[in-house]
Amino acid sequence: MNYTWQKIFIAMALVVFVIIQPGCKSQEEKMIDEGIKKFESADFAGAAKIYSEIIKKDRRNLIAYIKLASANACMHSDIKTFYRDLWTALESKNNIKRPLNFINEPFIIYQLSEDRPDGNVLKISDEVSAFTKAIKKNPDNSKLYFGRGLWNYVLSNQREAMDDFTTATRLDKNFIAAYIMKGKTNNAYLDRSYYNNFRTATKYYLLFDYKRALFINPQNSDIMLDIGDEYFNLQDHKSALKYYMNAYQADPQNYQALVECAQVETVIGNYIAAADYYKILVKKFPDNVSYLIELASRRILAGEKGEARINLEQAKAMTRDAGQYSLIQSIIEKNHLYNYK
């Protein structure tokens, strides 16, 4: 009898040991491992498929989100997709609202993901090591260098990011996204005030990688917008306006180019010209309250207060947002527009 109980006890101990030992992985962990194997063999589509399947089963699996961002970065070489994937992970984790200009401020993502008081840390820094392992197996794959460069950019590792993007362009001389990221990395950390009086030759040097990308694809309006942004940051408003206009002419659906044109004209004091751009936007998007408010603001600066009052009253009638309604009302009162019809 004692012998029987002894056998039962040993059997139970073995079961417990098997259950709690570190080598016993969940199904999701096994799928992550399989995705990593595919990623390291440069099968980015296969890895992305596995990570997507994990997310469908468990939308809180942060590792899968981050791994998917890496796979998509290599598969599509699209910066916007990469940031979309990153913010999906952050929003899933902490319901964080994304900043408007996070692409040009890479350190924001690192701070939000790593410095969390809840202890639920999203270790994005681990992805650099993951890419390094894949690169050792695929030393001539330009997309892997590009992907690692994106993570270094996010982690504010400027020199490492530049090295990765430079290697990507050396391996693939037509790698447009890598040239753009070289430009962003080169300019993201600069003290803009220091460059106010830079010579034209120096400005061109700062924009060399953007212009190389535009040379490869001369009709890419997004690259033109990027170049316009850099000229605007360098306070070369004439050049900025030129590239914004070129962007709109290359793609009449790129309405952000009109917004940027209006911004430049506002800064240099051409308020009527700025208002003209917003007239186009209001005509294209008659239900966009924000465009009406911006048009009214330019008209106020241009002295067209009667027209501004009409635009603001239209905006008040259209908006369903309490904060927006309050803003419109404050503009009317601050500029004494009740006397204008």
Side-chain angles (χ1 to χ4, degrees), residues 209-240:
D209 293 306
Y210 287 109
K211 292 190 175 182
R212 172 64 182 174
L214 189 61
F215 177 79
I216 297 169
N217 189 348
Q219 294 302 310
N220 190 311
S221 63
D222 288 333
I223 300 175
M224 295 175 193
L225 275 182
D226 282 333
I227 296 175
D229 288 343
E230 293 305 328
Y231 272 122
F232 184 80
N233 289 331
L234 292 164
Q235 299 186 22
D236 185 344
H237 300 127
K238 182 178 179 181
S239 296

Side-chain angles (χ1 to χ4, degrees), residues 10-233:
I10 292 172
M12 290 178 64
L14 287 172
V15 170
V16 171
F17 175 76
V18 170
I19 291 174
I20 66 174
Q21 66 172 316
C24 186
K25 294 185 177 182
S26 68
Q27 182 62 29
E28 287 185 4
E29 289 173 329
K30 292 178 180 178
M31 291 177 72
I32 288 286
D33 289 343
E34 182 62 26
I36 291 173
K37 288 180 182 178
K38 288 185 177 294
F39 182 81
E40 289 183 350
S41 65
D43 181 3
F44 307 126
K49 182 179 178 181
I50 290 174
Y51 300 138
S52 296
E53 289 174 358
I54 295 171
I55 292 170
K56 286 180 182 178
K57 295 178 181 178
D58 179 11
R59 296 191 175 276
R60 301 291 294 177
N61 192 313
L62 304 177
I63 295 176
Y65 278 113
I66 294 303
K67 294 293 184 184
L68 178 61
S70 291
N72 281 338
C74 294
M75 188 163 51
H76 302 295
S77 300
D78 180 73
I79 301 159
K80 292 179 180 178
T81 300
F82 175 72
Y83 276 93
R84 181 203 66 197
D85 289 340
L86 275 186
W87 278 100
T88 300
L90 287 172
E91 288 167 337
S92 171
K93 172 177 177 284
N94 288 307
N95 195 27
I96 298 170
K97 184 178 180 181
R98 67 186 70 184
L100 292 175
N101 197 33
F102 60 86
I103 289 181
N104 293 322
E105 298 179 25
F107 49 86
I108 289 177
I109 290 179
Y110 174 71
Q111 290 175 345
L112 291 178
S113 61
E114 301 277 340
D115 302 335
R116 301 301 302 173
D118 54 15
N120 188 15
V121 178
L122 187 61
K123 285 290 185 182
I124 62 175
S125 54
D126 292 345
E127 280 307 286
V128 174
S129 299
F131 269 91
T132 300
K133 289 180 181 179
I135 286 171
K136 286 181 180 179
K137 296 181 179 181
N138 307 273
D140 296 325
N141 191 308
S142 61
K143 293 187 175 182
L144 283 169
Y145 287 98
F146 175 77
R148 188 173 68 176
L150 286 177
W151 285 113
N152 275 317
Y153 179 77
V154 166
L155 292 164
S156 296
N157 299 330
Q158 183 183 12
R159 178 172 295 182
E160 291 83 352
M162 282 296 292
D163 288 344
D164 282 333
F165 295 134
T166 299
T167 302
T169 57
R170 178 178 58 80
L171 292 170
D172 180 357
K173 297 187 183 304
N174 293 319
F175 204 151
I176 291 176
Y179 283 113
I180 292 173
M181 284 310 302
K182 277 185 69 179
K184 286 187 181 298
T185 305
N186 197 30
N187 295 333
Y189 303 90
L190 298 178
D191 178 4
R192 299 296 182 184
S193 63
Y194 180 76
Y195 293 91
N196 286 350
N197 298 313
F198 253 35
R199 296 171 300 161
T200 303
T202 308
K203 290 180 182 179
Y204 181 83
Y205 172 77
L206 292 173
L207 290 161
F208 175 82
D209 293 306
Y210 287 109
K211 292 190 175 182
R212 172 64 182 174
L214 189 61
F215 177 79
I216 297 169
N217 189 348
Q219 294 302 310
N220 190 311
S221 63
D222 288 333
I223 300 175
M224 295 175 193
L225 275 182
D226 282 333
I227 296 175
D229 288 343
E230 293 305 328
Y231 272 122
F232 184 80
N233 289 331

